[in-house]
Amino acid sequence: MNRGEMLRRVADRRGAWDIVIVGGGATGVGVAVDAASRGYDVLLLEGDDFGKGTSSRSTKLVHGGVRYLEQGNIALVMEALKERGLLRQNAPHLVGDLAFVVPSYDWWESPFYGLGLKVYNALSGKYRFGPSRILSKEKTLELLPTINTEGLRGGVVYYDGQFDDSRLLINLAETAARQGATLLNYARVTGLARDSEGFVDGVEAIDVESGQALRAAAKVVVNATGAFCDGVRKMADPEAKAMVAPSQGIHLVFDRSFLPGQSAIMVPRTSDGRVMFAIPWHGHTLVGTTDVPLDAPTLEPRATEAEIEFILETAADYLHKAPTRADVLSVFAGIRPLVKAGDSKNTAALSRDHTIHIDGSGLLSIAGGKWTTYRNMAEDCVDQALVLGGLEERPCVTKTLNIHGFHENAERFGSLAVYGSDAPAIQSLIRSDAQLGERLDPSLPYVAAEVVWAARHEMARTVEDALARRTRALFLNARAAIAIAPRAAELMAKEIGHDRAWEAEQVEAFTAQARGYLVS
């Protein structure tokens, strides 16, 4: 992907696009992949970077949702389990199996959760990942050597999926581009255009980097802005009632020593009824999540003290060594774009089903859902869009469409495994310049070549893009990310063509942002 080329396509365009998508998260990029792979002419505009919001801030799980089974939403669980299997099939370099252990401290927990998880596994049908089974205390300790042993009776193990969310998103953007879509980050939509009858027939935007005004005519405009969905809807109808109930979840990241094995912990019911996970991720331990209703979404949400303390206290109940604030390497927050259900104020009880809404002006909005079901959401959205726009009907092909980077044995590339089939090209960069093979920081797995690759091929435009979403440095260790920011800025400036002043501005901006990922 090359941003200059993408921008020229938009500026030179004279006719209407079949579909213009507003929003470059999992839903919007998923819609771009689906529509472009069917042969439609697609433009996607993202006001910031791809995945800046919710789509880079998930719990890193590709799962059916055990708690949705408890809520009785069998249809959602079955849909998600099927999509989980398709994701592993289409992006094996990024999606893998992970064993989850539910530790038992009361006599009834193992048989109770064991039965529920057998049902969960059965619902996955041919897309199942692995069998669930009841564990002895000894086997539980073998899988979770750092679990709290006081009162431990045993546990239940089941299997779900794990992934790197923003890496998958970038690969999806590359897939859409390969299918012919035009995608532009840092292109902020500022208004909607209308025809003589008042129907939305395009968008007005601004190129954030240059200030250049952009206009794009469209047969259909899709609003896929997640938690910010209602803001775009109000561009079409200032009186539109909110359809999204934003909810914030946070995650704390610790050293691998807190969970040194290859298995995760799932706590099905915390002290206030929520679910908590502790999972191994990129050589670290990630613990979350909370579920707190918000009045309004923000692009850079911050964890509250109450949320941080809740996770620390809950983790202390299950880990032999209780984590402290000093152990937190990074804390990040994400916002779930849940669809409102009446007057309910309990966001933990709201369904994760997606909703498609077409207002009187013809603006199509899609909200809700979750990462695991992005493909199915996109298929539903495009099916509706082609009818709305009078487009020729063409079948969806994404069930068997390999995602960019597809590689069945990516683990052979070591720390570059997340790049899949792109890894050999990055290795070639390193061979051409040994300095590009140097680790950016000893506590992180990333090398300089990855920053160059991000700027050259993945449309990374800022240090934050490179260290938060192309690599995951900021999410894994905020202090280390701050330390490597000058080197990342130097590499990017050389690649994109910026001066020392730009480098200094980038380091200052990134450092200010990264401090919000530290726990004092």
Side-chain angles (χ1 to χ4, degrees):
M1 297 189 297
N2 180 281
R3 191 176 188 277
E5 169 60 25
M6 297 290 186
L7 185 59
R8 282 190 291 273
R9 289 188 201 173
V10 178
D12 294 345
R13 181 79 180 198
R14 294 294 175 263
W17 303 83
D18 289 334
I19 300 175
V20 169
I21 303 160
V22 185
T27 303
V29 175
V31 172
V33 171
D34 186 291
S37 63
R38 296 195 203 196
Y40 299 119
D41 211 3
V42 177
L43 169 65
L44 180 146
L45 300 174
E46 163 56 45
D48 206 278
D49 184 35
F50 303 120
K52 163 72 174 177
T54 306
S55 297
S56 63
R57 303 165 182 271
S58 74
T59 310
K60 322 306 177 193
L61 301 181
V62 180
H63 61 145
V66 174
R67 64 173 153 178
Y68 313 138
L69 182 63
E70 183 183 11
Q71 293 170 0
N73 195 339
I74 304 298
L76 176 63
V77 173
M78 291 185 70
E79 173 195 318
L81 288 171
K82 176 182 177 181
E83 294 299 324
R84 180 191 71 171
L86 292 176
L87 248 179
R88 182 179 61 172
Q89 166 190 297
N90 297 331
H93 63 297
L94 285 172
V95 180
D97 301 5
L98 181 63
F100 288 78
V101 177
V102 182
S104 302
Y105 291 90
D106 284 308
W107 65 268
W108 56 269
E109 289 181 315
S110 285
F112 178 77
Y113 293 122
L115 178 60
L117 290 168
K118 280 196 177 297
V119 173
Y120 181 75
N121 190 50
L123 290 174
S124 62
K126 67 178 182 179
Y127 299 101
R128 66 188 58 183
F129 275 25
S132 62
R133 65 186 188 277
I134 293 176
L135 304 174
S136 65
K137 178 180 178 179
E138 291 71 27
K139 187 63 178 178
T140 301
L141 288 170
E142 182 181 325
L143 294 177
L144 300 175
T146 54
I147 194 74
N148 184 0
T149 59
E150 185 176 352
L152 181 69
R153 292 172 176 266
V156 180
V157 65
Y158 72 102
Y159 291 83
D160 243 323
Q162 183 181 31
F163 77 141
D164 185 313
D165 46 14
S166 68
R167 285 304 316 167
L168 177 60
L169 182 66
I170 295 304
N171 280 175
L172 284 169
E174 291 170 305
T175 305
R178 189 178 67 210
Q179 296 295 325
T182 298
L183 304 95
L184 195 60
N185 54 354
Y186 297 101
R188 186 165 298 131
V189 170
T190 56
L192 301 174
R194 298 173 184 267
D195 64 17
S196 59
E197 296 180 345
F199 288 99
V200 171
D201 67 350
V203 301
E204 298 172 351
I206 186 169
D207 173 25
V208 175
E209 291 191 352
S210 68
Q212 176 186 353
L214 304 171
R215 289 178 174 80
K219 296 174 184 176
V220 184
V221 174
V222 172
N223 171 19
T225 52
F228 301 92
C229 169
D230 290 324
V232 177
R233 291 179 59 238
K234 287 182 183 295
M235 290 182 186
D237 177 10
E239 303 301 318
K241 292 184 178 180
M243 63 184 286
V244 170
S247 166
Q248 176 167 292
I250 78 156
H251 300 81
L252 303 184
V253 179
F254 303 97
D255 182 81
R256 180 192 169 121
S257 62
F258 285 91
L259 200 64
Q262 299 301 313
S263 301
I265 301 173
M266 197 276 272
V267 180
R269 187 174 295 277
T270 60
S271 59
D272 64 355
R274 292 178 290 192
V275 174
M276 192 189 81
F277 295 97
I279 66 174
W281 190 63
H282 288 322
H284 292 69
T285 300
L286 186 151
V287 184
T289 182
T290 54
D291 202 321
V292 179
L294 296 177
D295 292 330
T298 59
L299 198 55
E300 192 63 53
R302 295 291 186 227
T304 66
E305 286 299 313
E307 291 176 288
I308 293 171
E309 288 302 320
F310 173 79
I311 290 182
L312 287 173
E313 291 170 5
T314 304
D317 290 337
Y318 291 90
L319 296 175
H320 179 69
K321 177 187 174 185
T324 68
R325 299 175 72 88
D327 295 314
V328 179
L329 299 177
S330 190
V331 53
F332 64 91
I335 299 176
R336 303 179 184 92
L338 306 178
V339 177
K340 285 186 176 245
D343 296 323
S344 174
K345 298 185 183 302
N346 180 9
T347 56
L350 293 184
S351 170
R352 268 57 176 174
D353 283 318
H354 67 272
T355 294
I356 294 175
H357 178 270
I358 302 173
D359 68 16
S361 70
L363 175 68
L364 189 159
S365 298
I366 179 167
K370 59 180 190 164
W371 240 121
T372 305
T373 59
Y374 89 90
R375 192 213 61 83
N376 178 259
M377 293 170 63
E379 181 179 354
D380 285 352
C381 182
V382 175
D383 285 345
Q384 295 289 336
L386 65 89
V387 175
L388 181 63
L391 303 173
E392 176 188 347
E393 288 195 32
R394 298 168 187 161
C396 173
V397 300
T398 56
K399 287 181 180 177
T400 56
L401 181 68
N402 288 345
I403 292 168
H404 182 90
F406 178 94
H407 197 291
E408 293 181 325
N409 298 298
E411 62 274 6
R412 65 186 288 190
F413 303 122
S415 65
L416 298 177
V418 293
Y419 294 92
S421 61
D422 283 337
I426 299 175
Q427 291 173 331
S428 180
L429 270 180
I430 295 169
R431 285 193 295 271
S432 69
D433 182 351
Q435 289 187 334
L436 294 181
E438 295 174 357
R439 291 270 285 269
L440 294 171
D441 186 276
S443 67
L444 293 169
Y446 307 115
V447 297
E450 295 177 74
V451 175
V452 173
W453 182 264
R456 189 178 297 178
H457 296 291
E458 297 181 340
M459 287 172 68
R461 307 298 293 178
T462 70
V463 168
E464 180 197 337
D465 297 347
L467 298 186
R469 288 173 293 278
R470 303 310 186 276
T471 70
R472 309 315 307 274
L474 178 59
F475 286 76
L476 293 176
N477 190 323
R479 285 186 178 82
I482 291 171
I484 65 177
R487 176 62 171 149
E490 178 187 10
L491 291 163
M492 295 190 74
K494 181 179 178 181
E495 187 64 33
I496 300 174
H498 290 302
D499 58 18
R500 289 295 179 90
W502 180 88
E503 289 183 40
E505 290 170 1
Q506 283 291 303
V507 171
E508 182 179 2
F510 178 77
T511 300
Q513 179 193 352
R515 287 195 181 109
Y517 289 67
L518 298 172
V519 173
S520 57

